[in-house]
Structure formats: structure tokens, C-alpha cells
Amino acid sequence: MVISIKAIMSRGFILSLLAIGAPAVLPAAEAPRPGGELVFAVGEIPPSFDGHRETTFGMLHPIAPHYSTLLRFDPQNYPKIVGDVAETWSFSRDGLTLTVKIRKGIKFHDGTPLTAHDVKATYDKIIFPPEGVASARKALYSMVDKVEAPDDLTVVFKLKHIAASFLANLASPWNFIYSAERLKKDPRWYEKNVMGSGPFIFVEHVAGSHWVGKKNPAYFMPGRPYLDGFRAIFIRDTAPRVAAVRSGQAVVEFRGFNPAARDDIVKTLGNKAVVQESPWACNILVTLNNEKKPFSDARVRRALTLAIDRNEASKALAQISVMKYIGGVFRPGSEFATPPAELIKLPGFGKDINAARNEAKRLLKEAGVPEGFSFVLKNRNVKEPYEVSGVYLVDQWRKIGLNVTHTPLEGGPYFNDLRQGNFDAGVDFDCEFMDEPDLYLLKYLSSEASPVNYARYKDATLDELYERQSRMLDVKDRLPLIRQMERRAIGEQAYQFPLLWWQRIVPHSSRLKGWKIGPSHYVNQDLRDVWLAP
Amino acid sequence: MRQYVLKRLLLMIPTLFGVALLVFFLLRVAPGDIVELKYAGSGTFAPKEALDRERKQLGLDKPLAYQFVSWIAGIARFDFGDSMWTGRPIIEEIKIRLELSLQLAVMATVVAMLLAVPLGTLAALKQDTWVDYAVRIFSIAGLAMPSFWLGIVIILGFLIVFKWMPPLTFTSFWTDPRANLAQLIWPALAVGYRYSAMATRMTRSAVLEVLREDYVRTARAKGLWERAVVLKHALSNALLPIVTVIGLEFAFLLGGLVVTEQVFNLNGIGMLFVESITHRDYTMTQALVLLVSFAFIFMNFMVDLLYAWLDPRIHYQ
Amino acid sequence: MPGSTRAFITNNLRAPILFRPGSALDFISSRPLGGAGAIIIVLMIAAALLANFFAPYDPLANNYGAMFEAPGVHHWLGTDSFGRDVLSRILYGSRTALWVGFCSSLFGTSIGALIGVSCAYFGGKADLFMQRLMDILLSFPLIVLALVVVAVSGSGLWNVILAITIPMIPRAALVVRSSALALRQMLFVEAALTLGSSHWRVISRHMLPNVMAPYLIMLTAFLGQAILLEASLSFLGLGVAEPTAAWGLMLRGAAVEFAERAPWMALFPGLAISLAVFAFNVFGDSLRDALDPKLRLP
């Protein structure tokens, strides 16, 4: 992963992202300065406080600082996995048993010790939720047979089969470790209460307004956290959120802004602005209803992806939206990303758009699609990047003689229509917390096998390849299978295909130190290494 | 009189019941529920089973009639239930936001009156001169400008010129009046200006009418100082239509709040409303619609009573 | 419905029984503000009808070589973030605005008038029931009801029209009903009834034509409101869909996001909305003055 951190020297001038593959540029080490309250903006309000149940960063950003997880991603060396409450861990020789040793002396905020039993209770709640308890990511742990805690400091995960993604899933930022005792009394206690072992203790929450935490003096890492406390301000509309950073009322907004907002912030803050940028683990995906004619014909689907000028899009749309990078099924810059030489062979990813459009027209003709054929593109009514994608796609398809109606919908009806198959084409997205093929490829499995694939097709080849790659531990073994899946899913068959990958842009005040951008806005939000310059 | 008040109060019940019925079923006719949205967040691989589990937890698996009856039964006991999105009691969620919205509504009304009464009177006194036209253009321009537009112009103006913007979190007036006013005065101006348009027009025509009454003509003819005449007779009689307009336009004010709270990031009822409707938070939306309808009906009722009090000629039976 | 609303509407919108239009020239010369409004409206209608002739560019054509171009020789009002010509989009946008405005206020006022007249004509239980129903609709604030309707029916041109029409119905019904109540007592209606005319005939021949004045006043008043409401709904992401040329939509996002980089993107559509709403308002005002003898000067 590559990051560029550029202090802005002269007024309003921004250096764009360094080329992928260049060494990371980090500011000279400064001695962290303890103290101060970090004020940051959050663009969503937390629904319940239960990390195991919720799916929005609006819950993670204010609440993650209160909790520890078993493992975590090393923010300085993503995607390296390091321990949080785990001290060491090891797999058995057959790869079916993971034994994790817990650090000694970790305490919850109420003073009770955190033991292996708490970890077991936490993962039991996530993987085997009791009746009446919701668990959002249960399906990711289907390989787990059982969780055991033989003594106070040892947790053992027994697996049904080898699973490449298992360890990384234990670093999931959502898996807050809860107290077994509290869960026993009420498995839903954590929906309305906060009590963890993280670097910050809960102080106050005013619904819809702000969330306050203070330093946990008994935090298990000596000298951390640096901050005396933090205050998250909820600002749902983009304009006031940008204004908050510009006026200095908030030091940062961690999710990210688009280029226009970045320029405005830099213009106002001048040399007090720092911009961190990274390719984002999110993409915009064009999904087609494979059950409907003429989208049931692979030629038509290929024509639709051929018609999209991704090279132009990556230049033009990067100025007006968070979309920027051309990529296949995986995040450009990640270890699984499609090599450029292979990428340009995929339909719609080549360099010659005129040839591609002619080919698209030929395919449509061959498939018997009449000139001026009309269909509806369903979308979310979120300006950025969804509606921007919609406008772009409609214009691109117009160029091969298709007449597309753009229909942005509110979230509720939109997801309902996509899930029910009530659409021709849709603007979908894929946003994960890590670059794990098991997560991204799930989108392309047969629709029956995948709750997130709305394209309504059945493809046994893809399912079989997925199964095989997910049970291999070595990346080198997985890669050929992954490439094969990619070629089939977005190339030959073009069931659904990415438009562009996003760029994550976090402009912030130069006072914020010790925070490094990563490809996911879900990860690295416990704020324990963050400090404030005077 | 007492009977009239009682009758009006009783009449509120069927109206509110109708509102409740309407909003309850309207919301459920819409495709896509809160669970669908909850699991729309990225990184979720929620199979149908997980969605059903969540629905069960929220009580959405029960028959509609059952849901409606239990909701109404709850309201009868003043229990509005919990928000489906946050799980916290609705009363609590609303309480947090009510102070801000109420204060903003009052401030906007004051701004509107401070603009409308003098301007309307002036326009009437100088009828058909350039002053009259200027006032009318000013007030209609307020009506013609989208309210979000005005708010955005105010915020951007401050940001560009002073690199400052009104505080983003609410402080109660009683804790820190300065911080409180620094936040609320701008949206109050934006809403109040729009709100004043109707009232200015009413004041103008009311004063015009009074000026044509015989007793005012007589007073003027007798050489009474013009300003005294206007203030004493005209304004006291113009009070009635102005009061009416406040009541009538209350709904308008609430509409203005919906958009303005959005632009200024005010944690008020309008914001909560937009949010709950986009989240498909049924229980919260229902409660808010009921609250707003009740406020509107009650406001009109109060205006009627005030009417009777201001004008002894009016009797209600 | 609260008595005060009724009182207000009956007191202030009391209309003459017969509608006597003066000549257009008279209207303009005696009421300069209203005249100015009328001229702007006529220009707007012309722009909408002739958009294909006047518009220099295709309002939907993206041109990534000409993004954010400032107003100049090629693009008089500049281009937007997709390189689309702002002038062309404003011209075509007047179609959307007028279409939404006319349709929703026409439907809203007409349905409302029909309900109002029928209520006044039949009276009794049916009237009471309809009144309660109108009260229920009326107690939803305009934008709240519109939001709920869009949330239920989805966005898109016709759904937006629906969302704006529904809240207008009870308001129009209330006004028309109070004018029609007076008519019901009139001799000619009684006469028609005794002569054996059918209910529908009395309503359509005798009552409806005579509530023309409040009908027209409401229609013009709602037109401006409808245009504004459409812009607000678009701002909240619930209006007509991109890439349709519509003023409210042009402001969505652009008004804020690119306000500093390309102020023309937000300035001109904002101006178009304000001008249109202003024109309908002053025109409506003058129309009311002209039609309402109570406010006419001696």
C-alpha cells in the first residue's frame, strides 16, 4: 500500500498522489506531545453502539476508541497484522486450530480484568448469535466450528476447513471485545451502553450532536493514548462538514472528502493544511440483471462494458468526485490487484476507445439489440459518487446508441429493487475493510450463494474457483485462480463490472499527528497513537 | 366559551387519528424497510436469515394491524416506543432536539415580526410610491429565494471573508447565551426573512384597510399627528390578521426548518425528520409527523382563542 | 380545520361572484409590478417552448474537454462539472420547471376546486367527512407531506408532480369551498335546481364557472410555490433525476461543492428559480388585487 503525505507548502497547491509502487513518504519523526482534545467530524450518526450489529463508519469513528480487538492491522505497515489484546498466535500444523495467547493485565473500564473468556463470549456472539440478537458479519466466520477458552489467557478457534481469510477477519475493526459477564446478563446490553478496554473511556453522548471520550489511564499500552480525550461532532451534510474543517471547528474528518472539498480546505487553511491520499478499498460497480433480456446475452453485457471510456473517466471524474483509479476486481495498489498488462486485455479496459465502441456496436447488432434500445439504470440518490457515475454511464451508453433512463432512488427502495431483481441495470458499490479476495470475490459468486450479488446469475465455475482459492493459505497459489475468476466474471461473461475505484482524500489541520491514512476508513480508528501539535 | 374549547380539543382526536393512520400505512407501502438499509452498509454479507433476524428484533415480522394497534395503544399511554434506528426511546430523542427547534422557531418569528410590522406599515403609508414597491420587492424576493440557497450564501460568506462559521454544536441559551446566539441567529435570519414575506403583505393590507376607515380619516382630518394615528388605530386593528398569519404560516416555518437545519447542521426536529425518513425509521417518522401535526393544529387553535381575546366582536359557540 | 385558517381564507380571499377581466394592457399599466411579472412569465414560456431553437448546445452532452469553463464567447453562462453548457441547461430547465409547476398547480387546484364546490353544494355529512379529510392533509406541513409522498412513490418527474399536487389539494379545496358556500345560496343556483337540472349540471354549469376568480388566484400562487418546492426536493435528492435539465437539480451539490471554483454553476440556475418564483408571486399578487374588490382602492 502506498501513501503520500504532503504538507502543503505554498498556497493551495496540491501534489497529487504518488505513483503506485513508489516508497512511502513519511514526515520526519517528531516526539509525540501528550494532552489536548481531538475534535473531529463524523458524517453519519451511530445507530446502536454495538459494533457486531452495525455496518456504518458513523458507529466506528466515535466508538472504536473505546474498545480493543483481538488482532489489528498495523497502520504503519498495512496489511500486516499485529496483536491488540492478543500477544501471540499460532496455527496447528493442519491449519485447523488457531491458538491465541492474551496479554496479561488488561482491564475493562469498570476495572474487571479482560480474559480469554471475554474473547470467547465476544466471538460466540458474533459467530453463533443467540436468538433475537443480530450479527452483521456472521457469514464471514462460517469456517469456525467452535471457540474455546481453556484458561484465562488462551483462546482456541477450531475450524471446519482451512480458510485463507480467517486470521485477517480476526483483525476486523468491528469485533469489539465485550465483557462476558455483561453479555451473560443481557446479550443486547452493548447496543445502548459502552464499556470496553480501549484507550478512551466513554464520557457523554448527545444524540445527533456529539460524542465525547476521555483518556483511559489504565490502558494496557504504557504511555498511550497521547490525547486527553476526543470529541466527535456529527455533521451529516457535506457542506457544513467541509466548513467545519475549514473554520477549524474540527481538526479532521476521517472518512474522506472529494477533490473540490480538499481544494477549498487547503485554500482556507493554507500552510496549516495537510492532505493524505490513498487508493480507497471501494469501487463503483455496474451490475446487470442477467435474468432479463437482452442482458442475459453475454455479448450485450460485454458491449456495455466496452462502451465505457475508463481512461477518460479516471481523468475527468477524478476532478469532480472520489472516483479515480482504473482497476479490476481488486483495489489498484493492493497485492491482489490486476497487473496492468492483464488489465488492458479485459473488455472496456483497453486504450483504444473508438475500437472498443465499434466492437460494442457490432456485438449489440449481432445480439439483435435494436438501435436506440431503452433501459433503466437504477441508482442511489447520493450525489457523490453514485449520481456522478450515473450521469457518466448514461452519456457513455448514449454513444453506442443506447437510450438509458437514469433513476436515482432513496436507499430503501434502491436496495429493495436490487435485492428483488426489479431492475435492468444498477449502480452498485463494493467497499471492504481489507484487501481480502474472499471478501471482494464474494460479490461475483452465483447469486444464490452470495447475499451481495444482485446480478442474478448462476455460474458453477466461479463458485468452484472461489471455494478452491479460499482454502489455500499461500497467496502464490491463490493468485492464478483469482485471475481466472476475474477474467471470467468481468471479462468473458461481464456479469457485472467495476467502473472506477475510489480515491480516499483526508485533508486535515497540520495539528493532527500520528494518524496515517489507510485504504479503508473502517480501519485504524482507535486513536491511540494520535496526538495534537500545539 | 368553555364548551367551544372543549369541542375543539375533542375534534383534534379524530384528525390526529387520521394523520396517524395515514402516515403509518404510507410509510409501509414504500418499498424497502429499515433493515434493508441497515444492511446496505458496506462490508456486510448479510444473508436473508440475518435480515429476518433483525426484522424480528424490531417487531417488523408481526402483522400490520397488530403493529398499528400496539402503536396506537402505546400513544394512548404516552409511550411512543423506541426509535428503530438507534433503539433509544423516541421521547428522549425528541427532547434533545426540541429546545433547539423551538428556540429557532421563536427567534425566526421574532425576526419576521420585526421585519414585517414596520415594513408593512411603511409600505401602506407610502402606498404606490417607490417605497411601497421597494418593500414589496424585498419581501417577495425573500419568498422567491430557495431557503437552502440563502443559508449557503451566509455560511460561504462567513467562511470566505472571515474564515469563521457559526458553531456546529448546540449550547443551551441558559448555559452560554453568547455561543447559543452565535449559532442560531443566522439560521433565524434566513428563516425569518422568508417567513416575513407573508406577514409584511398582511400588515400592509391590514393597515391600508384601517386607513380607509372613517374614524381614522376623522382623526387625520382633525390634524392629529399622523404617526400617533397610525400607531394607535391602525396597528392595533392590524394585529388580528398578523396573528392569523403567524398561526397559518407556522407550517411554512416548520418546512423552512427542515431545509435550514440541514444547511446549518442544526441538531433539531427538522434534521431528525429528514434523517428518520431516509433511514425508514418508521416509529420515529410516525411520532414526528404526529408531533408536527399536533403542533400545527394546536397553534391554530391558540390563534383562534387569541382572536377572540383580541376582538371582542368574535364569539365562538 | 382550525377556524382561524378558514377565517383567514374567507376574509382575505373572498372573491367576487363574477370574474371580469380587464384588458391586459390596463393590467400592466395600472400594476407595474404585476406587469413585470407577466412579462417575465411570457418570456419564460417562450424560452421553454423554443428551447430547441435558442439553446446553443445539447443540454445532455457531456464534454470533458470543457469542464468548469467560465462564462465567455463559447459558453455564455459557462459550463458545469460535466462540461455541459449552463445556458442550454437553463433554457431546457425552464421546461421542467414550468411543466412541474403547471401540472401540479393545475391538478392540485382543479381537484381541490372540484372537491370544494362539491362539498359546498352537497353539504351535510359528506361535507363534514371531506372537511375532516382535508384537515388531516392540511395539518401535514407542505414539505413534510411532499417528502413522505416522494419517499413512498420514488423520485422522477411524475412522482415529483404527485408529491407537490397532493398538499395543494386541501388548500385549494378550502378556499374554493368558502366562495362556493355563498354561491349555493344564490338565486340562480336555486333556480337551476328547481328547473330540474342534475347535480352535475348545476355544479359544472353554474357553480364552477363562478369560482373562477379564487381558482385563478390559487393557481398563480401555487405555481411559484411548486417551482420552489421542486427545487427544494431536488436539493434533498428527491426531485427529478440527473441528467434531466432542471434548475433545482443544477443547484444540487453544485451550489456548495463548486461554489468557489465555478460560481456560475450555482449562480445562474439560482437566479432563474428566484426570478420565476418572483414573477409568479408578483403576478399572482396583482391578480388578486385586481380580482378582489375589497382590497381595491377607492
Side-chain angles (χ1 to χ4, degrees):
Chain A
M1 215 236 17
V2 173
I3 291 157
S4 76
I5 300 177
K6 288 272 165 195
I8 304 307
M9 296 309 179
S10 61
R11 59 166 90 156
F13 194 76
I14 299 168
L15 282 169
S16 61
L17 188 76
L18 293 181
I20 295 165
V25 180
L26 290 171
E30 288 173 88
R33 174 180 161 276
E37 182 187 59
L38 172 75
V39 183
F40 61 94
V42 181
E44 260 290 348
I45 48 167
S48 84
F49 308 157
D50 183 358
H52 307 169
R53 179 187 178 201
E54 299 307 334
T55 64
T56 165
F57 71 95
M59 188 282 308
L60 268 182
H61 286 190
I63 300 180
H66 299 304
Y67 289 100
S68 309
T69 51
L70 191 56
L71 303 173
R72 69 202 296 257
F73 290 104
D74 181 354
Q76 303 300 328
N77 294 298
Y78 177 90
K80 189 181 166 213
I81 290 167
V82 293
D84 197 9
V85 305
E87 192 150 43
T88 60
W89 56 93
S90 61
F91 272 105
S92 63
R93 187 159 299 197
D94 61 5
L96 290 177
T97 306
L98 175 73
T99 309
V100 184
K101 288 280 176 196
I102 306 294
R103 277 176 220 265
K104 224 187 250 173
I106 300 179
K107 282 197 169 67
F108 280 113
H109 296 159
D110 66 355
T112 54
L114 184 154
T115 69
H117 303 287
D118 299 306
V119 177
K120 173 180 157 53
T122 297
Y123 274 91
D124 278 345
K125 175 173 177 286
I126 294 168
I127 307 170
F128 316 107
E131 188 61 29
V133 176
S135 170
R137 283 158 295 271
K138 175 179 185 266
L140 294 181
Y141 302 89
S142 60
M143 70 294 267
V144 178
D145 184 29
K146 60 184 172 213
V147 187
E148 289 167 348
D151 62 62
D152 277 1
L153 295 177
T154 314
V155 187
V156 178
F157 292 88
K158 292 259 162 81
L159 307 186
K160 293 177 202 153
H161 54 78
I162 289 177
S165 62
F166 176 62
L167 194 71
N169 267 316
L170 295 183
S172 166
W174 305 97
N175 296 357
F176 300 157
I177 293 177
Y178 292 157
S179 152
E181 200 189 326
R182 307 262 176 177
L183 285 178
K184 206 168 134 197
K185 278 189 202 136
D186 178 5
R188 294 180 55 188
W189 188 80
Y190 276 98
E191 287 176 11
K192 291 178 192 172
N193 299 282
V194 179
M195 209 287 292
S197 54
F200 293 90
I201 300 174
F202 172 73
V203 175
E204 185 195 21
H205 170 225
V206 178
S209 173
H210 59 272
W211 184 289
V212 184
K214 65 166 197 245
K215 180 182 191 151
N216 172 12
Y219 188 55
F220 66 82
M221 250 181 108
R224 301 288 163 79
Y226 297 119
L227 296 168
D228 285 340
F230 71 88
R231 174 181 295 263
I233 311 178
F234 303 117
I235 311 177
R236 275 130 292 180
D237 213 37
T238 316
R241 200 158 66 241
V242 178
V245 180
R246 292 177 74 182
S247 67
Q249 283 192 52
V251 170
V252 62
E253 193 273 339
F254 287 114
R255 183 173 182 270
F257 285 120
N258 73 7
R262 170 196 63 198
D263 295 352
D264 287 344
I265 289 171
V266 169
K267 202 164 113 195
T268 312
L269 294 184
N271 59 7
K272 292 192 187 70
V274 172
V275 178
Q276 300 196 43
E277 299 185 343
S278 159
W280 204 339
C282 301
N283 64 22
I284 285 286
L285 202 64
V286 180
T287 189
L288 302 171
N289 188 343
N290 283 261
E291 273 176 2
K292 267 200 182 169
K293 273 189 176 165
F295 309 108
S296 47
D297 188 329
R299 289 172 298 193
V300 176
R301 299 193 298 262
R302 274 211 303 279
L304 289 180
T305 184
L306 275 166
I308 301 170
D309 187 351
R310 291 180 174 81
N311 293 303
E312 177 195 62
S314 86
K315 281 187 212 97
L317 299 188
Q319 295 176 49
I320 58 172
S321 78
V322 295
M323 285 181 288
K324 182 168 184 175
Y325 303 103
I326 304 173
V329 173
F330 303 98
R331 183 176 65 89
S334 74
E335 59 182 322
F336 304 101
T338 330
E342 274 194 54
L343 190 65
I344 56 165
K345 284 189 213 147
L346 292 170
F349 290 83
K351 295 286 177 208
D352 185 353
I353 184 62
N354 292 325
R357 285 201 182 120
N358 288 335
E359 169 73 1
K361 281 188 200 152
R362 191 188 64 78
L363 284 169
L364 285 179
K365 208 167 174 186
E366 205 180 289
V369 176
E371 179 82 14
F373 174 75
S374 303
F375 64 92
V376 172
L377 175 70
K378 291 209 168 153
N379 200 351
R380 294 171 84 180
N381 68 346
V382 177
K383 176 85 187 158
E384 235 258 278
Y386 304 94
E387 284 186 16
V388 173
S389 313
V391 174
Y392 190 77
L393 289 168
V394 168
D395 185 59
Q396 293 293 299
W397 287 332
R398 214 161 82 126
K399 291 187 172 146
I400 56 165
L402 295 171
N403 179 16
V404 185
T405 310
H406 183 222
T407 308
L409 298 167
E410 264 209 286
Y414 167 79
F415 287 109
N416 189 60
D417 281 355
L418 251 67
R419 286 214 174 95
Q420 308 287 330
N422 178 23
F423 70 104
D424 300 331
V427 177
D428 191 12
F429 66 101
D430 195 1
C431 212
E432 310 296 350
F433 70 88
M434 58 176 174
D435 300 307
E436 165 56 48
D438 275 8
L439 300 192
Y440 282 105
L441 288 172
L442 195 65
K443 196 94 196 165
Y444 298 90
L445 292 187
S446 289
S447 299
E448 283 168 20
S450 161
V452 288
N453 180 357
Y454 310 122
R456 305 182 90 76
Y457 57 82
K458 196 171 164 56
D459 190 318
T461 318
L462 287 180
D463 296 352
E464 193 240 303
L465 284 167
Y466 180 84
E467 192 82 4
R468 272 171 60 203
Q469 66 79 29
S470 82
R471 295 183 185 194
M472 293 172 167
L473 288 178
D474 197 333
V475 175
K476 274 204 253 24
D477 298 333
R478 289 176 92 183
L479 272 175
L481 300 180
I482 289 169
R483 289 280 88 83
Q484 205 181 328
M485 268 191 89
E486 181 177 62
R487 273 197 304 275
R488 183 172 174 83
I490 69 173
E492 293 149 28
Q493 293 297 331
Y495 294 122
Q496 47 185 349
F497 37 83
L499 172 63
L500 286 178
W501 285 77
W502 304 4
Q503 49 178 336
R504 187 173 177 213
I505 306 172
V506 179
H508 59 80
S509 155
S510 56
R511 292 183 62 211
L512 176 79
K513 305 278 184 183
W515 182 83
K516 186 172 157 183
I517 197 170
S520 166
H521 57 296
Y522 300 116
V523 172
N524 186 27
Q525 284 308 330
D526 68 4
L527 304 181
R528 74 176 183 197
D529 302 323
V530 172
W531 55 281
L532 280 174
Chain B
M1 187 68 190
R2 183 177 298 163
Q3 222 178 351
Y4 170 78
V5 170
L6 207 70
K7 193 181 137 205
R8 283 291 299 273
L9 283 174
L10 279 177
L11 261 180
M12 281 183 194
I13 295 174
T15 309
L16 285 174
F17 183 80
V19 169
L21 195 75
L22 191 69
V23 70
F24 183 91
F25 286 100
L26 261 183
L27 281 174
R28 280 161 176 82
V29 166
D33 61 8
I34 183 168
V35 177
E36 206 93 50
L37 275 170
K38 235 182 150 84
Y39 285 94
S42 33
T44 53
F45 305 99
K48 203 170 166 300
E49 182 251 324
L51 267 68
D52 289 340
R53 197 181 261 273
E54 182 80 39
R55 282 198 182 98
K56 205 163 173 187
Q57 185 168 334
L58 293 171
L60 287 170
D61 55 336
K62 305 248 174 22
L64 276 190
Y66 176 87
Q67 290 182 42
F68 182 71
V69 171
S70 63
W71 177 51
I72 294 290
I75 292 175
R77 297 190 308 268
F78 288 101
D79 173 13
F80 286 84
D82 296 339
S83 154
M84 286 186 173
W85 187 252
T86 65
R88 279 187 298 277
I90 285 176
I91 299 269
E92 216 174 89
E93 296 269 3
I94 290 182
K95 216 162 68 192
I96 293 170
R97 285 135 169 128
L98 202 59
E99 187 186 342
L100 186 149
S101 289
L102 276 183
Q103 194 193 337
L104 186 56
V106 170
M107 282 172 69
T109 312
V110 170
V111 167
M113 290 306 114
L114 286 180
L115 280 174
V117 175
L119 285 180
T121 314
L122 191 69
L125 287 177
K126 310 271 179 199
Q127 196 196 5
D128 283 338
T129 64
W130 66 269
V131 179
D132 183 21
Y133 287 120
V135 167
R136 283 166 67 187
I137 290 177
F138 174 78
S139 81
I140 296 178
L143 212 55
M145 234 183 296
S147 50
F148 55 89
W149 176 255
L150 194 59
I152 288 165
V153 168
I154 291 176
I155 291 186
L156 278 179
F158 277 128
L159 264 179
I160 294 167
V161 180
F162 301 109
K163 298 193 178 186
W164 179 86
M165 83 169 288
L168 284 160
T169 42
F170 179 65
T171 328
S172 172
F173 183 78
W174 315 113
T175 334
D176 184 355
R178 261 188 73 170
N180 171 281
L181 289 180
Q183 183 188 23
L184 292 186
I185 192 76
W186 311 107
L189 277 176
V191 179
Y193 173 37
R194 276 181 63 71
Y195 194 19
S196 74
M198 201 55 164
T200 307
R201 200 187 301 184
M202 282 310 304
T203 312
R204 178 176 172 273
S205 56
V207 172
L208 270 181
E209 221 176 294
V210 175
L211 284 179
R212 293 197 297 269
E213 300 274 349
D214 286 343
Y215 64 98
V216 178
R217 286 190 188 177
T218 322
R220 276 171 113 175
K222 272 196 285 183
L224 269 177
W225 193 30
E226 176 142 336
R227 194 183 294 167
V229 177
V230 170
L231 283 183
K232 191 147 169 264
H233 297 290
L235 268 186
S236 64
N237 279 304
L239 210 58
L240 219 61
I242 296 174
V243 165
T244 315
V245 132
I246 298 177
L248 245 190
E249 293 290 287
F250 184 70
F252 184 80
L253 174 70
L254 288 170
L257 290 188
V258 167
V259 182
T260 309
E261 287 184 350
Q262 200 80 201
V263 172
F264 284 91
N265 192 50
L266 302 177
N267 188 31
I269 296 291
M271 180 88 114
L272 187 62
F273 181 81
V274 173
E275 210 166 84
S276 63
I277 211 166
T278 44
H279 286 150
R280 287 286 189 281
D281 187 343
Y282 294 156
T283 46
M284 181 62 94
T285 313
Q286 286 162 199
L288 283 174
V289 166
L290 265 190
L291 177 80
V292 167
S293 298
F294 172 75
F296 180 66
I297 296 171
F298 187 72
M299 196 67 189
N300 276 281
F301 172 57
M302 291 309 284
V303 167
D304 282 353
L305 289 187
L306 207 63
Y307 230 82
W309 182 66
L310 283 174
D311 188 344
R313 286 170 302 179
I314 296 177
H315 291 286
Y316 292 113
Q317 273 118 40
Chain C
M1 181 73 249
S4 60
T5 314
R6 290 235 178 79
F8 167 75
I9 290 169
T10 32
N11 286 340
N12 294 290
L13 288 173
R14 190 187 299 139
I17 302 299
L18 289 168
F19 173 46
R20 290 179 297 268
S23 80
L25 259 174
D26 257 14
F27 182 84
I28 292 177
S29 62
S30 67
R31 296 168 205 287
L33 268 186
I39 292 170
I40 297 174
I41 293 170
V42 169
L43 285 178
M44 241 180 92
I45 295 174
L49 290 177
L50 302 172
N52 352 10
F53 299 108
F54 290 149
Y57 293 88
D58 177 350
L60 303 184
N62 297 2
N63 179 359
Y64 296 99
M67 292 160 76
F68 301 115
E69 239 169 60
V73 191
H74 297 295
H75 300 277
W76 290 5
L77 301 184
T79 63
D80 70 2
S81 51
F82 292 97
R84 299 177 295 198
D85 184 52
V86 172
L87 175 62
S88 306
R89 286 181 70 73
I90 286 184
L91 286 173
Y92 275 92
S94 62
R95 283 189 179 177
T96 316
L98 286 175
W99 187 242
V100 171
F102 273 120
C103 284
S104 50
S105 49
L106 192 70
F107 297 156
T109 327
S110 304
I111 299 172
L114 204 61
I115 291 177
V117 166
S118 310
C119 280
Y121 177 77
F122 291 109
K125 285 238 169 70
D127 181 28
L128 263 174
F129 176 77
M130 283 312 282
Q131 288 306 302
R132 286 283 84 74
L133 198 68
M134 295 294 116
D135 284 359
I136 291 168
L137 284 178
L138 209 54
S139 66
F140 277 81
L142 211 71
I143 193 151
V144 169
L145 191 54
L147 270 176
V148 175
V149 173
V150 172
V152 169
S153 63
S155 60
L157 197 62
W158 283 105
N159 292 334
V160 171
I161 290 174
L162 181 75
I164 301 175
T165 301
I166 289 179
M168 288 182 172
I169 294 175
R171 286 166 176 79
L174 208 63
V175 173
V176 170
R177 180 179 170 275
S178 61
S179 307
L181 272 180
L183 273 177
R184 183 69 176 81
Q185 318 300 329
M186 289 282 165
L187 275 176
F188 65 97
V189 173
E190 290 295 331
L193 272 173
T194 38
L195 283 175
S197 305
S198 69
H199 291 319
W200 172 243
R201 197 180 158 81
V202 176
I203 290 178
S204 64
R205 285 292 172 83
H206 299 285
M207 296 191 64
L208 276 179
N210 283 308
V211 292
M212 237 13 216
Y215 176 84
L216 282 178
I217 291 171
M218 297 298 282
L219 192 71
T220 41
F222 283 165
L223 258 163
Q225 279 196 43
I227 292 176
L228 207 56
L229 206 55
E230 188 257 309
S232 296
L233 284 176
S234 292
F235 175 74
L236 294 171
L238 302 166
V240 291
E242 280 274 18
T244 316
W247 299 340
L249 206 56
M250 293 172 77
L251 284 182
R252 172 162 157 73
V256 195
E257 243 183 89
F258 306 111
E260 283 159 68
R261 180 166 181 189
W264 55 89
M265 268 175 69
L267 186 68
F268 296 117
L271 221 59
I273 294 175
S274 299
L275 208 61
V277 179
F278 183 83
F280 279 112
N281 269 318
V282 288
F283 178 72
D285 262 15
S286 302
L287 192 69
R288 176 159 75 192
D289 285 355
L291 294 179
D292 192 337
K294 207 182 113 201
L295 291 179
R296 194 180 283 167
L297 291 172

